[in-house]
Amino acid sequence: MIGGGIGGLAAAAELVRHGLACRVLESQDRVGGRLLSHASAAGRFDLGATWYWPGETRVAALVENLQVATHLQHRSGDAMYHAAGGGRRMEGNPIDVASGRFSYGASSLAEGLANRLGGDVSLGTRVHRIEQSGTDFTVSHSAGTVSAPHVILALPPSLAVQTIEFKPAMPDDVRALAAATPVWMGTVAKAVIVYAAAFWRHQGLAGAAISHIGPLRELHDMSGPDGVPAALFGFAPLAPGEPTPSERDIVDQLVDIFGPDAATPLEVVVKDWRHDINTVPPLPVTGLPMETYGHPRFQQPFADGRIHWASTETALSAPGHIEGALAAAERAVRAITIQAASSSAATAQFHRGDTR
Ligand SMILES: Cc1cc2nc3c(=O)[nH]c(=O)nc-3n(C[C@H](O)[C@H](O)[C@H](O)COP(=O)(O)OP(=O)(O)OC[C@H]3O[C@@H](n4cnc5c(N)ncnc54)[C@H](O)[C@@H]3O)c2cc1C
């Protein structure tokens, strides 16, 4: 397994459940990838994924399985509209939709799976080469090599083709597709602004805002259950080369929208995903999500049916979401277990001398 994000970990846990041995090779010193919960004195706040939505049955099942605490996204109160001249109160909140939140951060999903996998997860292990030799692959990484009959690529496809050498090379059509597949949320900075109290709620505000002037274009309440700990978060979509919004600019914007109470946060944390080398490839990616995500070619393993895709971008269902990563993991594991079952049936036939 290349990658210990939620897709890789879910696939590994499922393989182990089927009695198959598996190693997760993760380049960072933590699991979770785009699930990234920042720990501050007040609590844990998500700098990557935040929500899951009604109908995302795989996420709901994982929450249940791991007994992860959740609460509903705060939506009550009025939203704000922000343009030159300041914030304008809207009637009601057309910005937030019904969704669930992970009370101790989305990373709890990845950490829960990694705890179950124990020594099957190798952190600080960056894969740089995958070579096919006979029926096995030799995977070279920063700490040595490992051999396996199947490889799951649980990292964004464009990152895989730009940073990992494949021998023999990937089929041309697969390589072109992967190279053109953008990383979901790879051009966004996310900011979390922690406060001593959810002051906006006391003013009958939801904490949600849309801004035409930024730097944050969309804002939401990120507080815990009942508003504790208190926080807001926002997204800044960024063009290549555009500077990361500064803490000062973000706080000034919040004062412009919500008034002077916003001037004294306990903490401002900004994560610019464009610069995360474990998520976004070094060279630009030119394709569009609608052309590439969940593409039929991603549904088929390559290299004699033994290299499989399992990142969210490759999913048929909810590509981009945590749900998509879980769906992609499910598909990869299904392909491997079917092959494992048919090869053990063939072995059993061979031992019985039944070679019809
Ligand atoms: C700002 C932001 C907000 C989001 N909001 C939401 C949300 O609210 N709800 C939602 O459902 N989804 C959201 N998402 C998307 C969600 O986070 C992803 O769909 C999901 O986490 C992807 O999981 P993955 O396993 O496919 O990939 P990743 O999480 O990217 O995992 C890939 C892993 O591979 C590792 N890796 C990379 N290269 C190598 C290598 N060479 N060798 C070994 N390991 C390697 C990485 O370190 C990483 O751990 C958001 C994402 C971002 C960035």
Side-chain angles (χ1 to χ4, degrees):
M1 185 77 55
I2 322 299
I6 194 66
L9 294 168
E14 195 56 12
L15 287 170
V16 169
R17 199 178 66 78
H18 280 91
L20 296 168
C22 173
R23 272 279 293 285
V24 178
L25 307 175
E26 166 54 52
S27 54
Q28 301 187 66
D29 60 2
R30 63 168 185 91
V31 292
R34 281 173 277 176
L35 307 188
L36 173 58
S37 305
H38 166 75
S40 78
R44 292 220 301 178
F45 300 99
D46 282 315
L47 294 169
T50 308
W51 298 297
Y52 68 110
W53 290 275
E56 294 195 334
T57 53
R58 294 173 182 89
V59 183
L62 186 59
V63 161
E64 176 72 23
N65 183 340
L66 295 172
Q67 293 288 292
V68 163
T70 61
H71 61 280
L72 293 176
Q73 169 67 33
H74 176 78
R75 293 195 293 150
S76 64
D78 292 335
M80 297 293 287
Y81 171 76
H82 181 223
R88 200 173 71 220
R89 193 167 182 138
M90 300 162 91
E91 219 172 279
N93 176 6
I95 297 172
D96 283 310
V97 297
S99 59
R101 295 257 318 277
F102 312 99
S103 301
Y104 299 105
S107 293
S108 14
L109 296 176
E111 290 156 0
L113 285 172
N115 285 342
R116 290 196 182 164
L117 288 162
D120 294 334
V121 180
S122 301
L123 298 178
T125 306
R126 182 177 300 281
V127 171
H128 53 84
R129 189 168 201 262
I130 300 171
E131 177 167 5
Q132 187 169 16
S133 45
T135 56
D136 263 358
F137 296 92
T138 303
V139 177
S140 305
H141 54 76
S142 42
T145 60
V146 61
S147 291
H150 289 269
V151 173
I152 298 182
L153 299 173
L155 71 168
S158 48
L159 182 66
V161 293
Q162 285 196 30
T163 59
I164 298 176
E165 182 193 353
F166 290 83
K167 202 159 177 250
M170 264 185 208
D172 287 346
D173 61 335
V174 181
R175 188 180 173 78
L177 171 65
T181 302
V183 177
W184 180 252
M185 299 299 267
T187 57
V188 161
K190 181 168 173 179
V192 172
I193 309 94
V194 184
Y195 288 97
F199 63 85
W200 55 94
R201 294 194 189 184
H202 306 308
Q203 301 162 14
L205 294 174
I210 290 291
S211 173
H212 270 185
I213 51 175
L216 304 178
R217 298 293 176 157
E218 188 186 320
L219 280 141
H220 305 270
D221 184 306
M222 194 184 236
S223 310
D226 303 319
V228 181
L232 295 169
F233 81 92
F235 296 112
L238 296 165
E242 199 176 339
T244 306
S246 70
E247 289 184 20
R248 187 68 267 152
D249 288 348
I250 289 168
V251 173
D252 286 349
Q253 179 187 12
L254 294 181
V255 171
D256 212 23
I257 300 174
F258 294 109
D261 285 343
T264 48
L266 298 177
E267 193 179 5
V268 179
V269 195
V270 184
K271 167 80 179 170
D272 188 337
W273 286 91
R274 291 174 305 169
H275 305 314
D276 188 315
I277 61 161
N278 296 290
T279 306
V280 175
L283 302 173
V285 178
T286 51
L288 296 171
M290 66 188 81
E291 289 167 347
T292 52
Y293 282 16
H295 193 282
R297 198 65 180 89
F298 283 136
Q299 314 313 310
Q300 301 158 20
F302 63 97
D304 303 326
R306 289 184 296 114
I307 298 186
H308 312 258
W309 296 100
S311 84
T312 190
E313 286 81 7
T314 69
L316 275 177
S317 166
H321 292 185
I322 301 170
E323 177 78 3
L326 297 176
E330 216 173 85
R331 183 236 311 122
V333 170
R334 198 178 316 119
I336 292 173
T337 52
I338 289 171
Q339 289 188 45
S342 67
S343 73
S344 60
T347 308
Q349 278 183 345
F350 176 75
H351 285 307
R352 286 201 309 269
D354 179 0
T355 53
R356 277 170 300 163

